[in-house]
Structure formats: C-alpha cells, structure tokens
Amino acid sequence: MKTLLKAVQILDVSSPFHKQIRDVLLEGNKILKIDKDLSKKETYEIYEANDLVLSPAFFDPNVHFGEPGFEERETITNGLKVAAESGFSEIALVASTQPVIDQAYLIENLQQKTRNSKVKIHLVSALTQGLKGEDLAELFEMHNYGAIGFSDDDSPIQNANLMKLALQYTQSFNGLVHSFPAEKNILGKAQVHESPTSTLLGLKAAPSLAETLQISRDLAILKYTGGRLHIPLISTKEAVKLINNAKEDGLNVSCSVSINQLFFTDERLNEFDTNFKLFPPLREKVDQEALISGVLDGTIDFVTSHHRPINIEHKFLEFEHATSGSIGLESYFGAMNTLFGTEKSLEIIQRSRDVYNLNKPVIKEGNEIAMNLINPKLEWCFTKNEITSKSKNSIFLNENLLGKVIQNFY
C-alpha cells in the first residue's frame, strides 16, 4: 500500500528539500517520490492537514528500560513501543540492568530479542565489570558486537588511573568512553543542588563543585592520553565553560544535557514532588540559562530525554528516600519544541548521531523511510493519559507543551 503525505514542510538539513513544502509518496519502506503536487488515488493512505512538518526520525543514546532484571519498571517490548510513538527510530540502552551488560554475549542476546523491532536498539555497554569501577569490562569484544560506547551510567569512575587506561585502550578501535560528572566524596548523600532553595527546604545538598571537579579531572586525563571522551548529562554553568575551553584546545570531548535541566530549575522542588528528584539534580536559573546557550552554540552536542522509568513504590516515598529519575521519551519533542521552536529543535535533535558516528536518515527519493510527521503547533497538556510507559514517573506531568509527533514511518 502507498502512503501520500500532502503539502508537508520538510525540515531536514541533509535533504535537498529542506524547508520546502512538498508532497511525499511512500511505498513499503522506501520514499518513492517527492514533488510539488502528486495526484491522490483511492488506494492511497493520505495524510493531509495544515502546517504539518516531516522530519527525520529521532535517536536518543541515553535510555533506560529495566529489562533484563527490572521488568517492573519497563519491558523492552513496551519500551520500544513508547520510543516509536514518541518519534524515535533508534535508541541506545544504558547497561545498568541485571545482569549488567558487560560481556559481548549479553549484547548479542538483546540484539536477537529485538531483531524484528522497527526501532533499532544500540547498546552503551558497561565500562567496568559489574559497574563497580574496579576493572575494565570486555570493551573490545563488546565493540565488535556493536556497542557504540562504554558507560557506568550514573556511577562516577573514582579511580583516575582506570579512566586513563580506558581512554588509552579504546583508541585502538576508536571507542567512546563515558564518564559521569560527579565527584562522589563531595557529592556524599546529597539529595539536591546546594542553593537558597535547598537551604529553605532543609534538604541535604551538594555544590556544583561535585560536577566540575570530576570534569576537570577527566579533561586533564584526556589531554594526557588522547582518545574520545563523552561527558553525559552536564548540569552546571561551570561545566559548559570547561567543555567549551576543552573543545577550543582541540580535545576530542563531547557532552549532553537532559531536557529536564533545560526546562526546569530547583525552584520546582518547593512541594517536595518526587518526580522532580533527579540525578544530576535540578540547578539554578543561571545554570539553566548557560545550558541553553551551550546547546544553541554547539558546546553541548545534544539533548537527551534521559528516559529513566522508576516503579511507583520507589517514587511514592518521602523525598529523601525516593529514587531519582523521570521518564522522558513521550514528552521529549513537545518540550524541545516549546523551548527552541520547530526548526531549531529538529536540528539539535539530529546532532546526537554525530557523536556516535551513526548514519542520519535523509528525506530523499529512493531512501529508506525513517521519518516523523509532526504537528508543530499542537498545544497539549502532558497528563497520565498521554503515558504509554509502564512507569509513570514524569517530571512533565501536567505541563503544557507545544508540538507533537502524530505519526511515524519506519
């Protein structure tokens, strides 16, 4: 069956039709024809409405589901359904499962389980065995089985020599080492960011120094060793400055930020809503502004949904005892579009593939389909009715958002 998209604006910087309004005819998994006015036929499935946008599908390299080991949070089957409905044709799962994805055969098992999914799964597998930060995992073997990076998730690598060895060893196969930006001794048992808000609320807090000290150490090691370093989920104005300086010095470093940090500040903690308990924690307005500027000028390479399902019994607790994390796939585009507008949002979203050396889908005749049909002007409220995820722990609950993926083709 053929599908006809009438008068859609194509927003794809890699496409010869970028910013143009065109009809797009699809057949099977291919883009059959792109032209100004394609004839309708009764046998076509037709999408026609004012102001629709066609974009390449999304990729998020920082996604948690739960399975294997934590299926009560999210299963792979349902998680992939959520990803598809939210506009993601590719995701990368983080290795903090049970068992930890620290061996090549575990990657193969997940690939076999998801081989028929229309959403492609990549793995950011464990950097150290069991995420314990003591010994390097089977990095080369996992790379050969398709791991696109190595990370201990939100467990910082405390051993500086281990980080040095990781950066040296992975250069032989151009591997990407992740290092979560938190100095654990300074972080301690902090619940939130150290600020006037934390003082007012009486919560245990840690300063931005916990983040920037770790980043400074890792950048110093990178300067010594060479290699490729990714710093995920930065959250402070000082981090933006450090990474900008490192890039200007020629270091091969990339970084990301969570959409949560761009949309909210720690002022939202006043009601002790555990959906706002995150790691890294929400920061102050000055940090938020610096992060947004860093995204716009390219210092921050991409924005992630930081999708982290947490089952209700770990969220429905006093703030101090609740687990950090928020789901994010379903609210991601609406939040991005609200902050940056449609054209800029889509340009930012596509940058994540560059960091992981993945091919970008391009809207062009003859190419395989990996596209989203978007209503960029749709105003909507993100309620529990919008959540397909098994866990419902969303920081965006009851937020008004602008723009939504209404159909995907992949």
Side-chain angles (χ1 to χ4, degrees), residues 139-166:
L139 305 186
F140 180 66
E141 291 82 359
M142 291 190 293
H143 168 78
N144 286 340
Y145 274 80
I148 61 173
F150 308 101
S151 168
D152 275 7
D153 193 13
D154 58 3
S155 296
I157 303 299
Q158 297 186 75
N159 187 328
N161 189 57
L162 190 66
M163 177 57 62
K164 176 177 74 73
L165 292 174

Side-chain angles (χ1 to χ4, degrees), residues 18 52 140 168 276 353 401:
H18 181 49
L52 293 183
F140 180 66
Q168 290 173 327
F276 288 85
R353 286 187 171 89
L401 301 175

Side-chain angles (χ1 to χ4, degrees), residues 244-265:
N244 182 63
N245 290 341
K247 288 186 172 186
E248 289 183 350
D249 288 343
L251 297 186
N252 195 349
V253 59
S254 59
C255 68
S256 65
V257 66
S258 167
I259 183 61
N260 303 325
Q261 305 288 343
L262 303 181
F263 210 92
F264 302 101
T265 68

Side-chain angles (χ1 to χ4, degrees), residues 175-193:
L176 182 62
V177 174
H178 295 59
S179 180
F180 191 83
E183 210 293 324
K184 291 188 74 170
N185 294 310
I186 292 178
L187 187 67
K189 296 182 179 180
Q191 302 289 313
V192 295
H193 168 64

Side-chain angles (χ1 to χ4, degrees), residues 12 34 56 101 141 191 223 242 246 250 308 336 389 392 402:
D12 176 7
I34 300 176
I101 310 300
E141 291 82 359
Q191 302 289 313
K223 187 173 184 179
L242 284 169
R308 198 178 194 103
M336 286 289 291
S389 295
K392 312 301 178 185
L402 179 65

Side-chain angles (χ1 to χ4, degrees), residues 166-314:
L167 286 167
Q168 290 173 327
Y169 178 66
T170 52
Q171 289 180 56
S172 63
F173 53 90
N174 200 33
L176 182 62
V177 174
H178 295 59
S179 180
F180 191 83
E183 210 293 324
K184 291 188 74 170
N185 294 310
I186 292 178
L187 187 67
K189 296 182 179 180
Q191 302 289 313
V192 295
H193 168 64
E194 184 181 85
S195 70
T197 298
S198 66
T199 302
L200 181 66
L201 299 178
L203 293 169
K204 294 178 182 177
S208 298
L209 180 65
E211 176 168 297
T212 55
L213 190 61
Q214 186 85 355
I215 292 174
S216 297
R217 185 207 74 171
D218 289 340
L219 291 175
I221 296 172
L222 179 66
K223 187 173 184 179
Y224 173 78
T225 60
R228 297 172 64 212
L229 175 66
H230 180 69
I231 302 174
L233 304 173
I234 68 169
S235 62
T236 64
K237 66 181 190 299
E238 294 90 351
V240 177
K241 185 175 181 180
L242 284 169
I243 293 169
N244 182 63
N245 290 341
K247 288 186 172 186
E248 289 183 350
D249 288 343
L251 297 186
N252 195 349
V253 59
S254 59
C255 68
S256 65
V257 66
S258 167
I259 183 61
N260 303 325
Q261 305 288 343
L262 303 181
F263 210 92
F264 302 101
T265 68
D266 66 349
E267 293 178 359
R268 295 296 293 266
L269 298 174
N270 289 328
E271 296 182 4
F272 294 94
D273 184 345
T274 58
N275 282 325
F276 288 85
K277 186 175 182 181
L278 306 173
F279 186 52
L282 294 174
R283 306 286 187 182
E284 298 174 73
K285 184 72 173 178
V286 66
D287 296 298
Q288 182 189 52
E289 292 172 347
L291 292 167
I292 290 173
S293 294
V295 171
L296 290 172
D297 68 21
T299 299
I300 298 175
D301 294 86
F302 64 88
V303 181
T304 172
S305 71
H306 197 197
H307 183 82
R308 198 178 194 103
I310 305 294
N311 42 309
I312 190 169
E313 58 265 34
H314 294 297

Side-chain angles (χ1 to χ4, degrees), residues 119-132:
V119 176
K120 184 174 182 179
I121 279 189
H122 303 277
L123 267 295
V124 175
S125 56
L127 180 64
T128 68
Q129 296 176 24
L131 306 182
K132 295 178 180 178

